[in-house]
Amino acid sequence: MTADVQSSWDRMITWLRGHSPATAEGVNGPATAKAIDEADWAVGVPLPADLRALYRAADGMRSHPRHVGDLLPPFYQLLPLEEALRFHRSRVEGFADREDSEWWGTEEEADTAPAGTQGFRWSRHWLPIATNHCGDVLFADLRYGRFRGCVMKYDKYEGADRRPMWPSVSAMLAEVADALEHDGVAAGRRPYVDAEGRLEWRDPVGLWIDFFPLRGDAPLYELMRFADRARAGELPDPRAAELIVARAAQVTDALTATAETLATGGAARYDDPNPQDEETLRGYAAAHGGLAGLIDHLIATATRLQPLAGPYVDAYEQPYVRGQVPPMVPATVRESGDIVIDGPVSWPGLLSGLGYYLLKLADELQSR
């Protein structure tokens, strides 16, 4: 495993030096053995071999995100151990001053739950490894269990409310290295380098579904707003707009079909229609009568979808409720031919992702 980490890290650094020099220059040198041992003591358990190997390769990055870019998707920079332990102490001490509650649980529950378990209360056995410098971190879950060493996200408002992003630090680095070398996908994002030589990770073109909770009157509100923009009659390129509306309608069709199956108690799954193939989109648009017909179809589908989404809005509007597990559905999501998600996902999150997807498509409408 240590060799795997070193191999992935070498691949990442080689790519950064050739394509993203600003990010490469932001990577620190190795951590000292003493600093790594202190991390063992701070989290109360030994660090896994792959995590120790990462720190032997680099002690995080300089904490100036405007200058160094994001080494890890979607927008995270590696934390130096000193900063990681400072964050860790602040969270452990912060929760120690709070009374136990039904919402965030007890210290014992947080520390003894199996690795990979979601929760809001910060565990002593969580070690932050990367930050977005806005209060959110990626952390290695060092509690015991089959998922020990997995990498999860902690949101400053919602806690660790999602399943692990990677099963290990080793797997995380391998996926990032592959994405860099082959213009592939890591954590649902593709790498790109800005004009300043900084690595960033762009949103996928297709439906991004990592959005939980489902809020308000979504998705009908965004669907109606999108339709209003599409029918405004001031589109500079109606032919290009037709493709964009067809993409929105295909995704909405697929979500509605899944929702209707769930409502009848059937075995539902979401299979993304991969809405980037122009020939397929043109055929779909023609079958619905062109741009005007697509807009009418989109509104009709949205009207069917909204009452099916309503119960999930009521039940899952709060960011994190202890012990609440959202309903999951098998899903396949593609981007430009690549499968970016293939497995169970939160159904409320999938519905909520439609609103974000439509916001992006509406921006495309205005620019065409």
Side-chain angles (χ1 to χ4, degrees):
M1 184 178 292
T2 298
D4 292 341
V5 168
Q6 191 61 55
S7 174
S8 296
W9 184 256
D10 290 343
R11 291 163 57 204
M12 291 168 62
I13 292 299
T14 298
W15 189 93
L16 291 172
R17 288 171 179 165
H19 299 84
S20 179
T23 302
E25 292 173 4
V27 177
N28 294 328
T32 64
K34 179 181 179 182
I36 298 173
D37 290 342
E38 288 176 351
D40 276 345
W41 179 86
V43 298
V45 291
L47 270 58
D50 59 349
L51 186 53
R52 297 181 72 90
L54 173 60
Y55 287 124
R56 286 197 296 268
D59 187 16
M61 304 173 71
R62 296 202 313 269
S63 57
H64 301 289
R66 291 178 301 171
H67 301 300
V68 303
D70 301 324
L71 185 61
L72 301 177
F75 30 64
Y76 289 94
Q77 300 89 42
L78 286 174
L79 272 169
L81 269 173
E82 182 179 354
E83 292 183 33
L85 295 181
R86 187 185 308 128
F87 182 97
H88 176 74
R89 283 193 299 271
S90 70
R91 292 301 180 273
V92 171
E93 292 170 0
F95 277 103
D97 292 337
R98 303 184 188 185
E99 294 182 1
D100 296 340
S101 80
E102 183 64 23
W103 191 48
W104 56 66
T106 68
E107 179 179 346
E108 181 180 6
E109 289 171 334
D111 290 345
T112 60
T117 303
Q118 300 170 351
F120 188 83
R121 188 183 188 114
W122 186 267
S123 168
R124 183 189 173 193
H125 306 313
W126 289 352
L127 180 65
I129 61 173
T131 179
N132 64 359
H133 294 282
C134 293
D136 306 331
V137 297
L138 300 180
F139 66 90
D141 189 345
L142 306 183
R143 295 175 296 184
Y144 289 100
R146 59 179 296 203
F147 296 113
R148 184 172 193 269
C150 66
V151 178
M152 302 179 68
K153 174 190 172 183
Y154 188 91
D155 182 278
K156 62 182 176 182
Y157 297 117
E158 300 174 12
D161 69 330
R162 302 173 188 176
R163 60 192 177 123
M165 294 179 65
W166 291 281
S168 65
V169 168
S170 179
M172 175 186 74
L173 297 177
E175 183 173 281
V176 170
D178 287 343
L180 294 178
E181 289 185 334
H182 305 296
D183 189 30
V185 174
R189 304 290 180 106
R190 285 189 188 275
Y192 77 94
V193 179
D194 68 13
E196 303 296 325
R198 297 172 297 203
L199 174 62
E200 307 290 347
W201 297 85
R202 68 175 175 82
D203 289 337
V205 177
L207 175 64
W208 179 238
I209 65 172
D210 191 17
F211 278 78
F212 174 70
L214 177 63
R215 299 184 187 278
D217 53 3
L220 184 61
Y221 173 77
E222 290 299 341
L223 279 164
M224 290 303 193
R225 190 165 73 161
F226 176 80
D228 287 342
R229 292 185 184 184
R231 65 150 61 96
E234 301 177 355
L235 301 174
D237 187 347
R239 186 167 171 79
E242 184 179 85
L243 286 179
I244 294 171
V245 178
R247 285 160 56 190
Q250 276 198 330
V251 168
T252 307
D253 283 351
L255 282 171
T256 303
T258 304
E260 289 175 338
T261 302
L262 281 172
T264 60
R269 71 165 287 117
Y270 175 79
D271 196 356
D272 185 75
N274 194 24
Q276 286 91 40
D277 180 75
E278 182 170 347
E279 182 178 352
T280 300
L281 290 171
R282 292 292 181 202
Y284 178 87
H288 288 86
L291 182 58
L294 281 172
I295 294 171
D296 290 342
H297 174 72
L298 184 60
I299 292 174
T301 307
T303 304
R304 288 163 50 207
L305 178 59
Q306 184 59 30
L308 298 170
Y312 299 100
V313 174
D314 295 338
Y316 295 96
E317 190 170 9
Q318 296 302 316
Y320 176 78
V321 177
R322 182 167 171 263
Q324 179 192 67
V325 178
M328 308 293 282
V329 296
T332 301
V333 177
R334 302 173 182 85
E335 184 212 343
S336 301
D338 289 334
I339 294 178
V340 296
I341 295 176
D342 189 21
V345 298
S346 157
W347 174 239
L350 191 62
L351 289 168
S352 185
L354 176 61
Y356 181 67
Y357 180 55
L358 291 169
L359 282 174
K360 294 193 296 180
L361 291 185
D363 289 340
E364 286 191 44
L365 276 177
Q366 293 178 328
S367 65
R368 297 294 180 95

